[in-house]
């Protein structure tokens, strides 16, 4: 019976030792991710999309109705100002011109007749030979004939202008980017002017019309530099400049945007009207300034780190100037996670900081400590440091949890490697 008891006792002891070793080996430790404060350039960028357009695009139409008789240009044709690009059938228009000329000649004959009659009656009236009513009638006939002649003259000029409109000419130097008609097609200009061609002027100078959100429009100024790409040439980057901020808002699904015009030189003619541009608008830039990784501003120590910091402070009070090893046999910069929970130092993280200030955690020889800094311009990844940190200092950006090594030791990233034993 004693033999069974001793065997049972030995088994319990072995199981306890195994469990202790297993738990100790599975213990986790924390290590810090850090970044070094350095100098560099920071640019604040607003991203947006826009559409490429020619600076000047003219839609050419016709003010008279008729059949397209001839077209002398096609898509992508280069044209000059005053060049004939199409002609409408002029049969009807020429007939209207001849009719207007004939009517004018008749009105001219009537005017000559009534003018002579008026002058004759006027002399007789002055000599008291005819009655005043006859003189008034002659004068009225003459004035009416003169008005009819002027009206006929205007009709002739209108007929001549309509005939001239049958010849469609380019109003500017440019390139045909759109053609909406073919030869033999009938166009009607009764209610509105039909568009026959669209002509883009000088495609070596283009512009991007970008939609900027109302939250960002306040940062955009005329003269801001812009870099953009297009899907057709993903490896090429094009440069431009903000030339106009339009005040008219565009509201779509309760989202307010404003159109911004960006000058886009196109000397190689790679850019085409209608392409979508992916824009980076540089609204601010600072050179050779201290900068910090923005994620360091968002870092907040975990409960385990705060517990270890509290222990170290208590240890430093009891042993001034004497460095003690961290609990659990870990090296400096690594904190075991199996400690009891407490919120001892969390209060310093909950303080409200004014705009332009932030709290970061600086790596020291023993652990980490909080530091209040003033910040400036940010590009999302980095933020300018105005005050509070010096070049070369290390700030904490994150924590890593790793399992403890089998020998019960975890190498610290903050200490040099231990020389091998002889």
């Amino acid at each position: 019976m004693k033999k069974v008891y001793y065997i049972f006792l030995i088994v319990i002891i072995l199981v306890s030792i195994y469990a202790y070793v297993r738990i100790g080996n599975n213990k986790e430790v924390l290590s810090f991710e850090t970044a070094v404060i350095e100098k560099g350039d920071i640019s604040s960028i607003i991203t947006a999309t826009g559409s490429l357009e020619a600076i000047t695009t003219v839609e050419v139409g016709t003010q008279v109705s008729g059949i397209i008789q001839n077209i002398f240009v096609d898509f992508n044709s280069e044209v000059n100002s005053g060049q004939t690009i199409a002609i409408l059938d002029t049969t009807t228009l020429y007939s209207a011109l001849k009719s207007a000329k004939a009517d004018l000649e008749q009105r001219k004959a009537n005017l000559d007749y009534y003018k002579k009659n008026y002058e004759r009656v006027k002399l007789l009236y002055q000599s008291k030979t005819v009655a005043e009513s006859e003189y008034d009638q002659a004068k009225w006939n003459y004035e009416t004939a003169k008005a009819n002649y002027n009206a006929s003259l205007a009709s002739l000029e209108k007929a001549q202008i309509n005939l001239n409109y049958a010849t469609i000419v380019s109003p500017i130097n440019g390139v045909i980017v759109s053609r909406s008609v073919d030869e033999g097609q009938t166009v009607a200009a009764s209610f509105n002017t039909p568009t026959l061609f669209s002509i883009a002027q000088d495609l070596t100078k283009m512009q991007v019309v970008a939609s900027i959100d109302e939250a960002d429009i306040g940062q955009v100024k005329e003269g801001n530099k812009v870099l953009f790409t297009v899907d057709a040439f993903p490896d090429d980057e094009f440069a431009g400049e903000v030339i106009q901020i339009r005040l008219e808002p565009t509201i779509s699904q309760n989202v307010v945007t404003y159109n911004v015009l960006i000058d886009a030189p196109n000397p190689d003619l790679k850019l085409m009207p209608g392409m979508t541009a992916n824009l980076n608008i540089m609204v601010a830039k600072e050179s050779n300034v201290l900068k910090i990784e923005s994620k360091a501003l968002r870092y907040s120590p975990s409960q385990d780190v705060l517990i270890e910091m509290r222990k170290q402070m208590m240890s430093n009070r009891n042993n001034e100037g004497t460095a003690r090893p961290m609990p659990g046999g870990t090296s400096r910069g690594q904190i075991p996670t199996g400690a009891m929970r407490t919120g001892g130092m969390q209060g310093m993280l909950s303080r409200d900081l004014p705009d332009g200030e932030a709290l970061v955690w600086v790596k020291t020889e023993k652990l980490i400590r909080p530091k209040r800094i003033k910040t400036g311009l940010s590009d999302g990844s980095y933020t300018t440091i105005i005050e509070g940190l010096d070049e070369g200092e290390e700030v904490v950006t994150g924590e890593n949890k790793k399992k403890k090594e089998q020998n019960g030791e975890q190498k610290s990233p903050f200490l040099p490697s231990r020389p091998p034993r002889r």
Side-chain angles (χ1 to χ4, degrees), residues 60 83 107 132 139 151 198 206 223 336 365:
V60 180
Q83 177 182 338
R107 302 290 184 180
E132 184 178 359
K139 184 178 180 180
S198 292
M206 300 188 68
E365 182 181 356

Side-chain angles (χ1 to χ4, degrees), residues 231-247:
D231 294 339
F233 305 99
D235 297 330
D236 294 341
E237 192 171 52
F238 303 90
E241 182 179 312
V242 176
I243 57 176
Q244 185 183 63
I245 301 172
R246 293 182 175 173
L247 302 179

